[in-house]
Amino acid sequence: IYLSSGINAEYGGLERTFRFFFQRQKLKGTVAFFGGILVVLLGFPFTGMCIESYGFFIIFSGFFPVAVNFIRRIPVIGNLLNLPGISHVAAKLEGQSRYNV
């Protein structure tokens, strides 16, 4: 609920927020996100939060490459993203392949 309220305030009104959540490519994530909220309210918090997390990932997956690229530029945290196990996950989130030339 806080997420949708914050996006409403940041994104510029109810109409633009509605258009953001109900874009054709984000509809699956929107259904999962708000369905997860419903499952939490019905009394299954762990299951609902897992469903919400899936929906959040689908909705904002286009933003992850930008966020990872930004985090790579932060001095201490950027170095952590270059560690062997973490760098592979970060590259996947960023949309890069290990074999880019």
Side-chain angles (χ1 to χ4, degrees):
I1 294 174
Y2 290 125
L3 175 69
S4 58
S5 299
I7 289 175
N8 184 26
E10 182 69 32
Y11 204 59
L14 287 174
E15 180 183 347
R16 290 182 74 184
T17 302
F18 184 80
R19 283 190 298 186
F20 173 79
F21 277 111
F22 291 99
Q23 294 175 9
R24 184 176 205 91
Q25 66 271 19
K26 295 181 182 178
L27 194 57
K28 181 175 160 183
T30 300
V31 169
F33 182 75
F34 288 112
I37 291 174
L38 180 66
V39 171
V40 167
L41 293 176
L42 290 175
F44 301 98
F46 182 75
T47 305
M49 288 177 64
C50 289
I51 296 170
E52 282 180 53
S53 298
Y54 171 74
F56 179 84
F57 184 78
I58 297 297
I59 292 171
F60 294 103
S61 61
F63 178 69
F64 289 136
V66 175
V68 170
N69 193 17
F70 174 77
I71 291 172
R72 281 188 188 274
R73 297 172 193 262
I74 298 173
V76 175
I77 300 172
N79 293 334
L80 291 175
L81 287 180
N82 290 327
L83 293 174
I86 299 172
S87 66
H88 182 68
V89 173
K92 288 269 191 192
L93 284 174
E94 197 173 10
Q96 293 180 355
S97 172
R98 295 182 120 189
Y99 305 109
N100 284 347
V101 178

Coordinates of all heavy atoms in Angstrom, one line a residue:
I1 N 0.8 -1.2 0.0 CA 0.0 0.0 0.0 C 0.9 1.2 0.0 O 0.6 2.2 -0.7 CB -1.0 0.0 1.2 CG1 -1.9 -1.2 1.0 CG2 -1.7 1.3 1.3 CD1 -2.8 -1.4 2.2
Y2 N 2.0 1.2 0.8 CA 2.9 2.4 0.8 C 3.5 2.6 -0.5 O 3.7 3.7 -1.0 CB 3.9 2.2 1.9 CG 3.4 2.3 3.3 CD1 3.6 1.3 4.2 CD2 2.7 3.4 3.7 CE1 3.1 1.4 5.5 CE2 2.2 3.5 5.0 CZ 2.4 2.5 5.9 OH 1.9 2.6 7.1
L3 N 3.9 1.5 -1.2 CA 4.5 1.6 -2.5 C 3.6 2.2 -3.5 O 4.0 3.2 -4.2 CB 4.9 0.2 -3.0 CG 5.5 0.2 -4.4 CD1 6.9 0.8 -4.5 CD2 5.6 -1.3 -4.9
S4 N 2.4 1.8 -3.6 CA 1.4 2.4 -4.5 C 1.1 3.9 -4.2 O 1.0 4.7 -5.1 CB 0.2 1.6 -4.7 OG -0.5 1.5 -3.4
S5 N 1.1 4.2 -2.9 CA 0.9 5.6 -2.5 C 2.1 6.4 -2.8 O 1.9 7.6 -3.3 CB 0.6 5.7 -1.0 OG -0.5 4.9 -0.6
G6 N 3.3 5.9 -2.6 CA 4.5 6.7 -3.0 C 4.6 6.9 -4.4 O 5.0 8.0 -4.9
I7 N 4.3 5.9 -5.2 CA 4.3 6.1 -6.7 C 3.3 7.1 -7.1 O 3.6 7.9 -8.0 CB 4.2 4.7 -7.4 CG1 5.4 3.8 -7.2 CG2 3.9 4.9 -8.9 CD1 5.3 2.5 -7.7
N8 N 2.1 7.0 -6.5 CA 1.1 8.0 -6.8 C 1.6 9.4 -6.6 O 1.4 10.3 -7.4 CB -0.2 7.7 -6.0 CG -1.3 8.6 -6.4 OD1 -1.4 9.1 -7.5 ND2 -2.2 8.8 -5.4
A9 N 2.2 9.6 -5.4 CA 2.7 11.0 -5.1 C 3.9 11.4 -6.0 O 4.0 12.5 -6.4 CB 3.1 11.0 -3.6
E10 N 4.8 10.5 -6.3 CA 6.0 10.8 -7.1 C 5.7 10.9 -8.5 O 6.2 11.7 -9.2 CB 7.0 9.7 -6.8 CG 8.3 9.9 -7.5 CD 9.1 11.1 -7.0 OE1 9.0 11.4 -5.8 OE2 9.8 11.7 -7.8
Y11 N 4.8 10.0 -9.0 CA 4.6 9.9 -10.4 C 3.6 10.9 -11.0 O 3.6 11.2 -12.2 CB 4.0 8.5 -10.7 CG 4.3 8.0 -12.1 CD1 5.6 7.9 -12.6 CD2 3.2 7.6 -12.9 CE1 5.8 7.4 -13.9 CE2 3.5 7.2 -14.2 CZ 4.8 7.1 -14.7 OH 5.0 6.6 -16.0
G12 N 2.9 11.6 -10.1 CA 2.1 12.7 -10.6 C 0.6 12.5 -10.8 O 0.0 12.9 -11.8
G13 N -0.1 11.9 -9.8 CA -1.5 11.8 -9.8 C -2.0 10.4 -10.1 O -1.3 9.5 -10.5
L14 N -3.3 10.2 -9.9 CA -3.9 8.9 -10.0 C -3.9 8.4 -11.4 O -3.7 7.2 -11.6 CB -5.4 9.0 -9.4 CG -5.5 9.1 -7.9 CD1 -7.0 9.3 -7.6 CD2 -5.0 7.9 -7.3
E15 N -4.2 9.3 -12.4 CA -4.3 8.8 -13.7 C -3.0 8.3 -14.2 O -2.9 7.2 -14.8 CB -4.8 9.9 -14.6 CG -4.9 9.5 -16.1 CD -5.3 10.7 -17.0 OE1 -5.7 11.7 -16.5 OE2 -5.1 10.5 -18.2
R16 N -1.9 9.0 -14.0 CA -0.6 8.5 -14.4 C -0.1 7.3 -13.7 O 0.5 6.4 -14.2 CB 0.5 9.6 -14.3 CG 0.2 10.8 -15.3 CD 1.2 11.8 -15.2 NE 2.5 11.4 -15.7 CZ 3.6 12.1 -15.7 NH1 3.6 13.3 -15.1 NH2 4.7 11.6 -16.2
T17 N -0.5 7.2 -12.4 CA -0.2 6.0 -11.6 C -0.9 4.8 -12.2 O -0.4 3.7 -12.3 CB -0.5 6.2 -10.1 OG1 0.2 7.3 -9.7 CG2 -0.2 5.0 -9.3
F18 N -2.2 5.0 -12.5 CA -3.0 3.9 -13.1 C -2.4 3.5 -14.4 O -2.3 2.3 -14.7 CB -4.5 4.4 -13.2 CG -5.4 3.4 -13.7 CD1 -5.9 2.4 -12.8 CD2 -5.8 3.3 -15.1 CE1 -6.8 1.4 -13.3 CE2 -6.6 2.3 -15.5 CZ -7.1 1.4 -14.6
R19 N -2.0 4.4 -15.2 CA -1.4 4.0 -16.5 C -0.1 3.3 -16.3 O 0.2 2.4 -17.1 CB -1.2 5.3 -17.4 CG -2.5 5.8 -18.0 CD -2.2 6.8 -19.0 NE -1.6 8.0 -18.4 CZ -1.3 9.1 -18.9 NH1 -1.5 9.3 -20.2 NH2 -0.7 10.1 -18.2
F20 N 0.7 3.7 -15.3 CA 1.9 3.0 -15.0 C 1.7 1.5 -14.7 O 2.3 0.7 -15.2 CB 2.7 3.7 -13.9 CG 3.9 3.0 -13.5 CD1 5.1 3.1 -14.2 CD2 3.9 2.2 -12.3 CE1 6.2 2.4 -13.8 CE2 5.1 1.6 -11.9 CZ 6.2 1.7 -12.6
F21 N 0.8 1.3 -13.7 CA 0.6 -0.1 -13.3 C -0.1 -1.0 -14.3 O 0.1 -2.2 -14.3 CB -0.2 -0.1 -12.0 CG 0.6 0.1 -10.7 CD1 0.5 1.3 -10.0 CD2 1.5 -0.8 -10.3 CE1 1.3 1.5 -8.9 CE2 2.3 -0.6 -9.2 CZ 2.1 0.5 -8.5
F22 N -1.0 -0.4 -15.1 CA -1.8 -1.2 -16.0 C -1.3 -1.1 -17.4 O -2.1 -1.3 -18.4 CB -3.3 -0.8 -15.8 CG -3.8 -1.2 -14.5 CD1 -3.9 -0.3 -13.5 CD2 -4.2 -2.5 -14.3 CE1 -4.4 -0.7 -12.3 CE2 -4.7 -2.9 -13.0 CZ -4.8 -2.0 -12.0
Q23 N 0.0 -0.9 -17.7 CA 0.5 -1.1 -19.0 C 0.5 -2.6 -19.4 O 0.6 -3.4 -18.5 CB 2.0 -0.6 -19.0 CG 2.1 0.9 -18.8 CD 3.6 1.3 -18.8 OE1 4.5 0.5 -19.0 NE2 3.9 2.5 -18.4
R24 N 0.4 -2.8 -20.6 CA 0.2 -4.2 -21.1 C 1.3 -5.1 -20.6 O 1.1 -6.2 -20.1 CB 0.1 -4.2 -22.6 CG -0.2 -5.6 -23.2 CD -0.4 -5.5 -24.7 NE -1.1 -6.6 -25.2 CZ -2.5 -6.6 -25.3 NH1 -3.1 -5.5 -25.0 NH2 -3.1 -7.6 -25.8
Q25 N 2.6 -4.7 -20.7 CA 3.7 -5.5 -20.3 C 3.8 -5.6 -18.8 O 4.6 -6.5 -18.3 CB 5.0 -5.0 -20.9 CG 5.5 -3.7 -20.5 CD 4.9 -2.5 -21.3 OE1 3.9 -2.6 -22.0 NE2 5.6 -1.4 -21.2
K26 N 3.2 -4.8 -18.0 CA 3.3 -4.8 -16.6 C 2.0 -5.4 -15.9 O 2.0 -5.5 -14.7 CB 3.5 -3.4 -16.0 CG 4.9 -2.8 -16.4 CD 5.1 -1.5 -15.9 CE 6.4 -1.0 -16.4 NZ 6.7 0.4 -16.0
L27 N 1.1 -5.8 -16.7 CA -0.2 -6.3 -16.1 C 0.0 -7.5 -15.3 O -0.6 -7.6 -14.2 CB -1.2 -6.5 -17.2 CG -2.7 -6.7 -16.8 CD1 -3.1 -5.4 -16.0 CD2 -3.5 -6.9 -18.0
K28 N 0.8 -8.4 -15.7 CA 1.0 -9.7 -14.9 C 1.6 -9.3 -13.5 O 1.2 -9.9 -12.5 CB 2.0 -10.6 -15.7 CG 2.3 -11.9 -15.1 CD 3.2 -12.6 -16.1 CE 4.0 -13.7 -15.5 NZ 4.8 -14.4 -16.4
G29 N 2.6 -8.4 -13.5 CA 3.2 -8.0 -12.3 C 2.2 -7.3 -11.4 O 2.2 -7.4 -10.1
T30 N 1.4 -6.4 -12.0 CA 0.4 -5.7 -11.2 C -0.6 -6.6 -10.5 O -0.9 -6.4 -9.3 CB -0.3 -4.7 -12.1 OG1 0.6 -3.8 -12.7 CG2 -1.4 -3.9 -11.4
V31 N -1.1 -7.6 -11.3 CA -2.0 -8.6 -10.7 C -1.3 -9.3 -9.6 O -2.0 -9.5 -8.5 CB -2.5 -9.5 -11.8 CG1 -3.3 -10.7 -11.2 CG2 -3.4 -8.8 -12.8
A32 N -0.1 -9.7 -9.7 CA 0.6 -10.4 -8.7 C 0.8 -9.6 -7.5 O 0.6 -10.0 -6.3 CB 2.0 -11.0 -9.2
F33 N 1.2 -8.3 -7.7 CA 1.5 -7.4 -6.6 C 0.2 -7.1 -5.7 O 0.3 -7.3 -4.5 CB 2.1 -6.1 -7.1 CG 2.4 -5.1 -6.0 CD1 3.6 -5.3 -5.3 CD2 1.6 -4.0 -5.7 CE1 3.9 -4.4 -4.3 CE2 2.0 -3.1 -4.7 CZ 3.1 -3.3 -4.0
F34 N -0.8 -6.7 -6.4 CA -2.0 -6.4 -5.7 C -2.7 -7.7 -5.1 O -3.4 -7.7 -4.1 CB -3.0 -5.6 -6.5 CG -2.5 -4.1 -6.6 CD1 -2.1 -3.7 -7.9 CD2 -2.4 -3.3 -5.5 CE1 -1.6 -2.4 -8.0 CE2 -1.9 -2.0 -5.7 CZ -1.5 -1.6 -6.9
G35 N -2.6 -8.8 -5.9 CA -3.1 -10.1 -5.4 C -2.3 -10.5 -4.1 O -2.9 -11.1 -3.2
G36 N -1.0 -10.2 -4.0 CA -0.2 -10.5 -2.8 C -0.7 -9.7 -1.7 O -0.7 -10.2 -0.5
I37 N -1.1 -8.5 -1.9 CA -1.6 -7.6 -0.8 C -2.9 -8.3 -0.3 O -3.1 -8.3 0.9 CB -1.9 -6.2 -1.3 CG1 -0.5 -5.5 -1.6 CG2 -2.7 -5.4 -0.3 CD1 -0.6 -4.1 -2.2
L38 N -3.7 -8.7 -1.2 CA -5.0 -9.4 -0.8 C -4.7 -10.6 0.0 O -5.4 -10.9 1.0 CB -5.8 -9.7 -2.1 CG -7.2 -10.4 -1.8 CD1 -8.1 -9.4 -1.0 CD2 -7.8 -10.8 -3.1
V39 N -3.7 -11.4 -0.4 CA -3.4 -12.7 0.3 C -2.9 -12.3 1.7 O -3.3 -13.0 2.7 CB -2.4 -13.5 -0.5 CG1 -1.9 -14.7 0.3 CG2 -3.0 -14.0 -1.8
V40 N -2.1 -11.3 1.9 CA -1.7 -10.8 3.2 C -2.9 -10.4 4.0 O -3.0 -10.8 5.2 CB -0.7 -9.7 3.1 CG1 -0.4 -9.0 4.4 CG2 0.7 -10.1 2.5
L41 N -3.8 -9.7 3.5 CA -5.0 -9.3 4.2 C -5.9 -10.4 4.6 O -6.6 -10.3 5.6 CB -5.7 -8.2 3.5 CG -5.0 -6.9 3.3 CD1 -5.8 -5.9 2.4 CD2 -4.7 -6.2 4.6
L42 N -5.8 -11.5 3.8 CA -6.6 -12.7 4.1 C -6.0 -13.6 5.2 O -6.6 -14.5 5.6 CB -6.9 -13.5 2.9 CG -7.8 -12.9 1.8 CD1 -7.9 -13.7 0.6 CD2 -9.2 -12.7 2.4
G43 N -4.8 -13.2 5.6 CA -4.2 -13.9 6.8 C -3.0 -14.9 6.4 O -2.7 -15.7 7.2
F44 N -2.4 -14.7 5.2 CA -1.3 -15.6 4.9 C -0.1 -14.6 4.5 O 0.2 -14.4 3.3 CB -1.7 -16.4 3.6 CG -2.8 -17.4 3.9 CD1 -4.1 -17.0 3.5 CD2 -2.6 -18.5 4.6 CE1 -5.1 -17.9 3.7 CE2 -3.7 -19.4 4.8 CZ -4.9 -19.1 4.4
P45 N 0.5 -14.1 5.5 CA 1.5 -13.0 5.3 C 2.8 -13.5 4.5 O 3.2 -12.8 3.6 CB 1.9 -12.6 6.7 CG 1.5 -13.6 7.6 CD 0.4 -14.3 7.0
F46 N 3.3 -14.7 4.8 CA 4.5 -15.1 4.1 C 4.2 -15.4 2.6 O 4.9 -14.9 1.7 CB 5.1 -16.4 4.7 CG 6.4 -16.8 4.1 CD1 7.5 -16.1 4.3 CD2 6.4 -17.9 3.2 CE1 8.7 -16.6 3.7 CE2 7.5 -18.3 2.6 CZ 8.7 -17.6 2.8
T47 N 3.1 -16.1 2.3 CA 2.8 -16.4 0.9 C 2.5 -15.1 0.2 O 2.9 -14.9 -0.9 CB 1.5 -17.3 0.9 OG1 1.8 -18.5 1.7 CG2 1.2 -17.7 -0.5
G48 N 1.7 -14.2 0.8 CA 1.4 -12.9 0.2 C 2.6 -12.0 -0.1 O 2.7 -11.4 -1.1
M49 N 3.6 -12.0 0.8 CA 4.8 -11.2 0.6 C 5.6 -11.8 -0.5 O 6.2 -11.1 -1.3 CB 5.5 -11.1 1.9 CG 4.9 -10.2 2.9 SD 5.7 -10.0 4.4 CE 7.2 -9.3 4.0
C50 N 5.6 -13.1 -0.7 CA 6.3 -13.8 -1.8 C 5.7 -13.4 -3.1 O 6.4 -13.1 -4.1 CB 6.3 -15.3 -1.6 SG 7.4 -15.9 -0.3
I51 N 4.3 -13.4 -3.1 CA 3.6 -13.0 -4.4 C 3.9 -11.6 -4.7 O 4.1 -11.2 -5.8 CB 2.1 -13.4 -4.2 CG1 1.9 -14.9 -4.1 CG2 1.3 -12.8 -5.4 CD1 0.5 -15.3 -3.7
E52 N 3.8 -10.7 -3.6 CA 4.1 -9.3 -3.8 C 5.5 -9.0 -4.4 O 5.7 -8.2 -5.2 CB 4.0 -8.5 -2.5 CG 2.6 -8.2 -2.1 CD 2.6 -7.5 -0.8 OE1 3.2 -6.4 -0.7 OE2 1.9 -7.9 0.2
S53 N 6.5 -9.8 -3.8 CA 7.9 -9.6 -4.3 C 8.0 -10.0 -5.8 O 8.7 -9.3 -6.5 CB 8.8 -10.5 -3.4 OG 8.8 -10.1 -2.1
Y54 N 7.3 -11.1 -6.2 CA 7.3 -11.5 -7.6 C 6.7 -10.4 -8.4 O 7.3 -10.0 -9.5 CB 6.6 -12.8 -7.8 CG 6.4 -13.1 -9.2 CD1 7.4 -13.6 -10.0 CD2 5.1 -13.0 -9.8 CE1 7.2 -14.0 -11.3 CE2 4.9 -13.3 -11.1 CZ 6.0 -13.8 -11.9 OH 5.8 -14.1 -13.2
G55 N 5.6 -9.8 -8.0 CA 5.0 -8.7 -8.8 C 5.8 -7.5 -8.8 O 6.0 -6.9 -9.9
F56 N 6.5 -7.2 -7.7 CA 7.4 -6.0 -7.7 C 8.5 -6.2 -8.7 O 8.9 -5.3 -9.4 CB 7.9 -5.8 -6.2 CG 8.9 -4.7 -6.1 CD1 8.4 -3.4 -5.9 CD2 10.3 -4.9 -6.2 CE1 9.3 -2.4 -5.7 CE2 11.2 -3.9 -6.0 CZ 10.7 -2.6 -5.8
F57 N 9.1 -7.4 -8.7 CA 10.2 -7.7 -9.6 C 9.8 -7.6 -11.0 O 10.5 -7.0 -11.9 CB 10.8 -9.1 -9.3 CG 12.0 -9.4 -10.2 CD1 13.2 -8.9 -9.8 CD2 11.8 -10.2 -11.3 CE1 14.3 -9.2 -10.6 CE2 12.9 -10.5 -12.1 CZ 14.2 -10.0 -11.8
I58 N 8.6 -8.0 -11.4 CA 8.1 -8.0 -12.7 C 7.8 -6.5 -13.1 O 8.1 -6.1 -14.2 CB 6.8 -8.8 -12.9 CG1 7.1 -10.3 -12.7 CG2 6.2 -8.6 -14.3 CD1 8.1 -10.9 -13.7
I59 N 7.2 -5.8 -12.2 CA 6.8 -4.4 -12.5 C 8.0 -3.5 -12.7 O 8.1 -2.7 -13.7 CB 5.9 -3.8 -11.4 CG1 4.6 -4.4 -11.4 CG2 5.8 -2.3 -11.6 CD1 3.7 -4.1 -10.2
F60 N 9.0 -3.7 -11.9 CA 10.2 -2.8 -11.9 C 11.4 -3.4 -12.5 O 12.5 -2.9 -12.4 CB 10.5 -2.3 -10.5 CG 9.4 -1.4 -9.9 CD1 8.5 -1.9 -9.0 CD2 9.3 -0.1 -10.4 CE1 7.5 -1.1 -8.5 CE2 8.3 0.7 -9.9 CZ 7.4 0.2 -8.9
S61 N 11.3 -4.5 -13.3 CA 12.4 -5.1 -13.9 C 13.1 -4.3 -14.9 O 14.3 -4.4 -15.1 CB 12.0 -6.5 -14.5 OG 11.1 -6.3 -15.5
G62 N 12.4 -3.3 -15.5 CA 13.1 -2.4 -16.4 C 14.0 -1.4 -15.7 O 14.9 -0.8 -16.4
F63 N 13.8 -1.2 -14.5 CA 14.5 -0.2 -13.7 C 15.8 -0.8 -13.1 O 16.7 -0.1 -12.8 CB 13.7 0.4 -12.6 CG 14.4 1.4 -11.7 CD1 14.7 2.6 -12.2 CD2 14.7 1.0 -10.4 CE1 15.4 3.5 -11.4 CE2 15.3 1.9 -9.6 CZ 15.7 3.2 -10.1
F64 N 15.9 -2.2 -13.0 CA 17.0 -2.8 -12.3 C 18.3 -2.5 -13.0 O 19.3 -2.3 -12.3 CB 16.8 -4.3 -12.2 CG 15.7 -4.6 -11.1 CD1 14.8 -5.6 -11.4 CD2 15.7 -4.0 -9.9 CE1 13.8 -5.9 -10.4 CE2 14.8 -4.3 -8.9 CZ 13.8 -5.2 -9.2
P65 N 18.4 -2.6 -14.4 CA 19.7 -2.3 -15.0 C 20.2 -0.9 -14.6 O 21.4 -0.7 -14.4 CB 19.4 -2.4 -16.5 CG 18.3 -3.3 -16.6 CD 17.4 -3.0 -15.3
V66 N 19.3 0.1 -14.6 CA 19.7 1.5 -14.2 C 20.2 1.5 -12.8 O 21.2 2.2 -12.5 CB 18.5 2.4 -14.4 CG1 18.8 3.8 -14.0 CG2 18.1 2.4 -15.9
A67 N 19.5 0.9 -11.9 CA 19.8 0.9 -10.5 C 21.2 0.2 -10.2 O 22.0 0.7 -9.5 CB 18.8 0.2 -9.6
V68 N 21.4 -1.0 -10.9 CA 22.7 -1.7 -10.7 C 23.8 -0.9 -11.3 O 24.9 -0.8 -10.6 CB 22.6 -3.1 -11.4 CG1 24.0 -3.7 -11.4 CG2 21.7 -4.0 -10.6
N69 N 23.6 -0.2 -12.4 CA 24.7 0.6 -13.0 C 25.0 1.8 -12.0 O 26.1 2.2 -11.9 CB 24.2 1.1 -14.3 CG 25.3 1.7 -15.1 OD1 26.5 1.5 -14.8 ND2 25.0 2.5 -16.1
F70 N 24.0 2.4 -11.4 CA 24.2 3.5 -10.5 C 25.0 3.0 -9.2 O 25.9 3.6 -8.8 CB 22.9 4.1 -10.1 CG 23.0 5.1 -9.0 CD1 23.5 6.4 -9.3 CD2 22.7 4.8 -7.7 CE1 23.6 7.3 -8.3 CE2 22.8 5.7 -6.7 CZ 23.3 7.0 -7.0
I71 N 24.6 1.8 -8.7 CA 25.2 1.3 -7.5 C 26.7 0.9 -7.8 O 27.5 1.1 -6.9 CB 24.4 0.1 -7.0 CG1 23.1 0.5 -6.4 CG2 25.2 -0.7 -5.9 CD1 22.1 -0.6 -6.1
R72 N 27.0 0.5 -9.0 CA 28.4 0.2 -9.4 C 29.3 1.4 -9.2 O 30.5 1.2 -9.0 CB 28.4 -0.4 -10.8 CG 28.0 -1.8 -10.9 CD 28.3 -2.3 -12.3 NE 27.8 -3.6 -12.6 CZ 28.4 -4.7 -12.2 NH1 29.6 -4.7 -11.7 NH2 27.9 -5.9 -12.5
R73 N 28.7 2.6 -9.3 CA 29.5 3.8 -9.3 C 29.7 4.3 -7.9 O 30.5 5.2 -7.7 CB 28.9 4.9 -10.1 CG 28.8 4.5 -11.6 CD 27.9 5.5 -12.4 NE 27.6 5.0 -13.7 CZ 28.3 5.3 -14.8 NH1 29.3 6.2 -14.7 NH2 27.9 4.9 -15.9
I74 N 29.1 3.7 -6.9 CA 29.3 4.1 -5.5 C 30.5 3.4 -5.0 O 30.7 2.2 -5.2 CB 28.0 3.7 -4.6 CG1 26.8 4.4 -5.1 CG2 28.3 4.0 -3.2 CD1 25.5 4.0 -4.5
P75 N 31.5 4.2 -4.4 CA 32.8 3.6 -4.1 C 32.8 2.3 -3.3 O 33.4 1.3 -3.9 CB 33.4 4.7 -3.2 CG 32.8 6.0 -3.7 CD 31.4 5.6 -4.0
V76 N 32.3 2.2 -2.2 CA 32.4 0.9 -1.4 C 31.5 -0.2 -1.9 O 31.9 -1.3 -2.2 CB 32.1 1.2 0.1 CG1 32.2 -0.1 0.9 CG2 33.2 2.1 0.6
I77 N 30.2 0.2 -2.2 CA 29.3 -0.8 -2.6 C 29.6 -1.3 -4.0 O 29.4 -2.5 -4.4 CB 27.8 -0.2 -2.6 CG1 27.5 0.1 -1.1 CG2 26.8 -1.2 -3.1 CD1 26.2 0.9 -1.0
G78 N 30.1 -0.4 -4.9 CA 30.5 -0.8 -6.2 C 31.6 -1.9 -6.2 O 31.6 -2.8 -7.0
N79 N 32.5 -1.8 -5.3 CA 33.5 -2.8 -5.1 C 32.9 -4.2 -4.7 O 33.4 -5.2 -5.1 CB 34.6 -2.4 -4.1 CG 35.4 -1.2 -4.7 OD1 35.5 -1.0 -5.9 ND2 36.0 -0.4 -3.8
L80 N 31.9 -4.1 -3.9 CA 31.3 -5.3 -3.4 C 30.6 -6.0 -4.6 O 30.5 -7.3 -4.7 CB 30.2 -5.1 -2.3 CG 30.8 -4.6 -1.0 CD1 29.7 -4.3 0.0 CD2 31.7 -5.7 -0.4
L81 N 30.0 -5.3 -5.5 CA 29.4 -5.8 -6.7 C 30.3 -6.5 -7.6 O 29.9 -7.3 -8.5 CB 28.6 -4.8 -7.4 CG 27.3 -4.3 -6.8 CD1 26.6 -3.3 -7.6 CD2 26.3 -5.4 -6.5
N82 N 31.6 -6.3 -7.5 CA 32.6 -6.9 -8.3 C 33.2 -8.2 -7.7 O 34.0 -8.8 -8.4 CB 33.8 -5.9 -8.6 CG 33.3 -4.8 -9.5 OD1 32.4 -5.0 -10.4 ND2 33.8 -3.6 -9.3
L83 N 32.7 -8.6 -6.6 CA 33.1 -9.9 -6.0 C 32.6 -11.0 -6.8 O 31.6 -10.9 -7.5 CB 32.6 -10.0 -4.5 CG 33.2 -9.0 -3.5 CD1 32.6 -9.1 -2.2 CD2 34.7 -9.2 -3.4
P84 N 33.4 -12.2 -6.8 CA 33.0 -13.3 -7.8 C 31.6 -13.7 -7.8 O 31.0 -13.7 -8.9 CB 34.0 -14.4 -7.3 CG 35.1 -13.7 -6.7 CD 34.5 -12.5 -6.0
G85 N 31.0 -14.0 -6.7 CA 29.6 -14.5 -6.7 C 28.6 -13.4 -7.0 O 27.6 -13.6 -7.7
I86 N 28.8 -12.3 -6.5 CA 27.9 -11.2 -6.6 C 27.9 -10.6 -8.0 O 26.9 -10.1 -8.5 CB 28.2 -10.1 -5.5 CG1 28.0 -10.8 -4.1 CG2 27.3 -8.9 -5.6 CD1 28.4 -9.9 -3.0
S87 N 29.1 -10.5 -8.6 CA 29.2 -9.9 -9.9 C 28.4 -10.6 -11.0 O 27.8 -10.0 -11.9 CB 30.7 -9.8 -10.4 OG 31.2 -11.1 -10.6
H88 N 28.3 -11.9 -10.8 CA 27.5 -12.7 -11.8 C 26.0 -12.3 -11.6 O 25.3 -12.1 -12.6 CB 27.7 -14.2 -11.5 CG 26.9 -15.1 -12.5 ND1 27.2 -15.1 -13.8 CD2 25.9 -15.9 -12.3 CE1 26.4 -16.0 -14.4 NE2 25.6 -16.4 -13.5
V89 N 25.5 -12.2 -10.4 CA 24.1 -11.8 -10.2 C 23.8 -10.4 -10.6 O 22.8 -10.1 -11.3 CB 23.7 -12.0 -8.7 CG1 22.3 -11.5 -8.4 CG2 23.9 -13.5 -8.3
A90 N 24.8 -9.5 -10.3 CA 24.6 -8.1 -10.7 C 24.6 -8.0 -12.2 O 23.8 -7.2 -12.8 CB 25.7 -7.3 -10.1
A91 N 25.4 -8.7 -12.9 CA 25.5 -8.7 -14.4 C 24.2 -9.2 -15.0 O 23.7 -8.7 -15.9 CB 26.6 -9.5 -14.9
K92 N 23.6 -10.2 -14.3 CA 22.3 -10.7 -14.8 C 21.2 -9.7 -14.6 O 20.4 -9.5 -15.5 CB 21.9 -12.0 -14.0 CG 22.7 -13.2 -14.4 CD 22.0 -13.9 -15.5 CE 22.7 -15.3 -15.6 NZ 22.3 -15.9 -16.8
L93 N 21.2 -9.0 -13.4 CA 20.2 -7.9 -13.2 C 20.4 -6.8 -14.1 O 19.4 -6.1 -14.5 CB 20.3 -7.5 -11.8 CG 19.7 -8.4 -10.7 CD1 20.0 -7.8 -9.3 CD2 18.2 -8.5 -10.9
E94 N 21.7 -6.5 -14.5 CA 22.0 -5.4 -15.3 C 21.7 -5.7 -16.8 O 21.6 -4.8 -17.6 CB 23.4 -5.0 -15.1 CG 23.8 -3.6 -15.6 CD 25.2 -3.2 -15.3 OE1 25.9 -4.0 -14.8 OE2 25.5 -2.0 -15.5
G95 N 21.5 -7.0 -17.1 CA 21.2 -7.4 -18.4 C 22.5 -7.6 -19.3 O 22.4 -7.7 -20.5
Q96 N 23.6 -7.8 -18.7 CA 24.9 -8.0 -19.4 C 25.2 -9.5 -19.5 O 24.8 -10.2 -18.6 CB 26.0 -7.3 -18.7 CG 26.0 -5.8 -18.8 CD 27.2 -5.2 -18.1 OE1 28.0 -5.9 -17.5 NE2 27.2 -3.9 -18.1
S97 N 25.9 -9.8 -20.5 CA 26.4 -11.2 -20.5 C 27.9 -11.2 -20.2 O 28.6 -10.2 -20.4 CB 26.2 -11.7 -22.0 OG 26.9 -12.9 -22.1
R98 N 28.4 -12.3 -19.7 CA 29.8 -12.3 -19.4 C 30.7 -12.3 -20.7 O 31.8 -12.0 -20.6 CB 30.1 -13.6 -18.7 CG 29.5 -13.7 -17.3 CD 29.9 -15.0 -16.7 NE 30.6 -14.7 -15.5 CZ 31.2 -15.5 -14.7 NH1 31.3 -16.7 -15.0 NH2 31.8 -15.1 -13.6
Y99 N 30.1 -12.6 -21.8 CA 30.8 -12.7 -23.0 C 30.6 -11.5 -24.0 O 30.9 -11.6 -25.1 CB 30.4 -14.0 -23.8 CG 30.5 -15.2 -22.9 CD1 29.4 -15.8 -22.4 CD2 31.8 -15.7 -22.5 CE1 29.5 -16.9 -21.5 CE2 31.9 -16.8 -21.7 CZ 30.8 -17.4 -21.2 OH 30.9 -18.5 -20.4
N100 N 30.2 -10.4 -23.4 CA 30.1 -9.1 -24.2 C 31.5 -8.8 -24.7 O 32.5 -8.8 -24.0 CB 29.5 -8.0 -23.4 CG 28.1 -8.1 -23.3 OD1 27.4 -8.9 -23.9 ND2 27.5 -7.3 -22.4
V101 N 31.6 -8.3 -25.9 CA 32.9 -7.9 -26.5 C 32.8 -6.4 -26.8 O 31.9 -5.9 -27.2 CB 33.2 -8.7 -27.8 CG1 34.5 -8.2 -28.4 CG2 33.2 -10.2 -27.5

